[in-house]
Amino acid sequence: MFLSLLFTYLPALVFGFLFVRNYRKEPRQFRNAMYFLLLCLFAFWGMSIQFNMPWLFGLGILAIPFGTIALVVFLLANAVVVIRREGFSLSHALPGLMALAIVAVCLAGPLLVLWQAPGPVLTLYLLVLMEGSYVAFTFFALLLYSWLYRRLPKRRDYDYIVVHGAGLSGTEPTPLLAGRLDKGVELWKAGGCRALMLASGGKGPDEQVSEAQAMRTYLVDRCGVPADAVLVEDRSSTTMENLRNSKAIMDARSGEDSYRAVVVTSDYHVFRAAEYAHKIGLAADGVGSTTARYFWPTAFIREFVAVSNEHRWPFAVIFVLWIIPIVLSFATR
């Protein structure tokens, strides 16, 4: 009985071990997301076998097409809502574009077979299907792990609270940025008002002042944070620059690796900011402020694209696995 259960849950145990080991070592890694999703899937599969409920696994299989249809409808509806509220732009249309891409990939296969497409076209479609399957898997893995990462307990005794900029309305923080600042103040108060707050954000070409300066004014005038408790980093324009420049300021004040920081950003952006911090050797947790529900899907898709761009090698591996049989078939002719 024990050996039977062990064999049934072996895949889940393997990925559970990998997840726990890597999470304990460093929670801010993209691979953790994939390990966690595989753990959940194989645990679900094991339970369907242990309790003799194959319909559970069948239900999961049926959820794929119906879930895909529901996702497409949701993304199209969300794109309409975002464009109506925020105006049209390529980034605001991302949910709709993603929905159309899903529909195109799903319909292309049956249509190509029905039209008896040439072999090379079907082979090329196989590559698209392989790459698309990886994208779908990692998308849901990152979505699940980002949710988990944001809800895991974080420490409170920070030396620095780094708040990332998010655009201005005139000289005032936008509601999105104000939410980040309010979250930073919440952490500052929870830690006994001991930490230094670091406002990070440069001046865009269409902005009157730097984001960091507007953030400092907001913290001091509206939130009651003492002026000498707010540091300013006003030269950055990207997330990575936010982190590198902020790290340089903190290293200069406290010495490298001798402090603990937290990076405050929007909830959809937490994991990428934390992963970038790990990449540059900054010991920092990630904490997120709440984003409007209607805007969250658009923002998360952008985050997924950015994270995938940082982890391009699996796409190359899939291409190699696709091209090797083709090369071998030509070589053996």
Side-chain angles (χ1 to χ4, degrees):
M1 182 64 178
F2 173 77
L3 289 178
S4 176
L5 283 176
L6 180 63
F7 180 77
T8 299
Y9 286 100
L10 184 59
L13 291 172
V14 169
F15 286 109
F17 169 77
L18 291 172
F19 172 71
V20 172
R21 186 192 67 175
N22 282 272
Y23 181 84
R24 287 174 61 86
K25 182 179 178 181
E26 177 50 67
R28 302 169 297 174
Q29 295 188 88
F30 184 50
R31 71 184 69 170
N32 292 341
M34 291 185 280
Y35 290 152
F36 186 68
L37 180 55
L38 287 168
L39 163 63
C40 294
L41 291 176
F42 280 113
F44 183 78
W45 177 73
M47 286 189 293
S48 70
I49 295 177
Q50 179 187 359
F51 299 106
N52 195 27
M53 293 188 295
W55 57 268
L56 277 177
F57 190 72
L59 190 63
I61 298 298
L62 286 175
I64 295 176
F66 288 105
T68 300
I69 294 172
L71 177 63
V72 167
V73 172
F74 170 77
L75 289 173
L76 289 173
N78 181 251
V80 172
V81 172
V82 172
I83 291 173
R84 281 181 176 177
R85 295 196 181 191
E86 304 289 338
F88 179 81
S89 70
L90 183 59
S91 63
H92 294 160
L94 277 177
L97 294 174
M98 185 176 181
L100 294 176
I102 293 172
V103 171
V105 172
C106 291
L107 293 181
L111 290 176
L112 289 174
V113 173
L114 183 64
W115 292 338
Q116 298 181 342
V121 175
L122 293 174
T123 303
L124 184 60
Y125 174 72
L126 177 61
L127 174 63
V128 173
L129 193 62
M130 291 169 64
E131 298 282 12
S133 297
Y134 173 75
V135 168
F137 177 81
T138 53
F139 180 84
F140 286 107
L142 186 62
L143 182 64
L144 180 62
Y145 186 67
S146 295
W147 175 86
L148 176 68
Y149 180 82
R150 295 197 309 272
R151 282 157 179 78
L152 292 171
K154 304 291 192 301
R155 58 189 294 166
R156 296 286 185 175
D157 54 332
Y158 298 111
D159 300 300
Y160 294 94
I161 300 172
V162 182
V163 184
H164 283 185
L168 301 177
S169 177
T171 59
E172 298 290 327
T174 59
L176 185 70
L177 179 52
R180 296 182 181 185
L181 292 165
D182 292 340
K183 189 67 176 181
V185 172
E186 179 185 322
L187 293 173
W188 179 71
K189 291 179 178 178
C193 304
R194 183 186 64 84
L196 292 175
M197 299 196 68
L198 203 167
S200 179
K203 181 178 179 296
D206 58 342
E207 293 176 335
Q208 302 175 38
V209 297
S210 69
E211 293 178 358
Q213 185 57 51
M215 293 160 70
R216 184 181 188 278
T217 301
Y218 181 93
L219 290 170
V220 174
D221 294 347
R222 295 198 187 183
C223 301
V225 180
D228 58 1
V230 183
L231 305 176
V232 171
E233 183 287 298
D234 58 2
R235 295 182 294 112
S236 57
S237 58
T238 66
T239 297
M240 186 60 82
E241 288 180 0
N242 285 142
L243 292 166
R244 289 189 187 280
N245 296 344
S246 297
K247 184 177 185 299
I249 291 173
M250 293 183 288
D251 286 351
R253 291 183 63 93
S254 301
E256 191 172 358
D257 299 326
S258 61
Y259 57 87
R260 184 71 188 183
V262 60
V263 176
V264 181
T265 183
S266 300
D267 48 11
Y268 63 83
H269 187 48
V270 168
F271 179 77
R272 181 157 68 102
E275 186 185 34
Y276 284 7
H278 166 62
K279 182 176 293 188
I280 65 172
L282 173 60
D285 292 326
V287 173
S289 59
T290 303
T291 305
R293 289 183 180 180
Y294 77 89
F295 190 71
W296 205 94
T298 300
F300 183 79
I301 293 170
R302 287 207 311 255
E303 290 301 299
F304 173 72
V305 171
V307 171
S308 297
N309 186 54
E310 293 291 321
H311 301 274
R312 295 186 295 271
W313 66 266
F315 294 97
V317 171
I318 292 172
F319 177 80
V320 170
L321 293 174
W322 171 79
I323 199 69
I324 286 178
I326 297 175
V327 173
L328 291 177
S329 67
F330 276 103
T332 54
R333 286 182 179 178

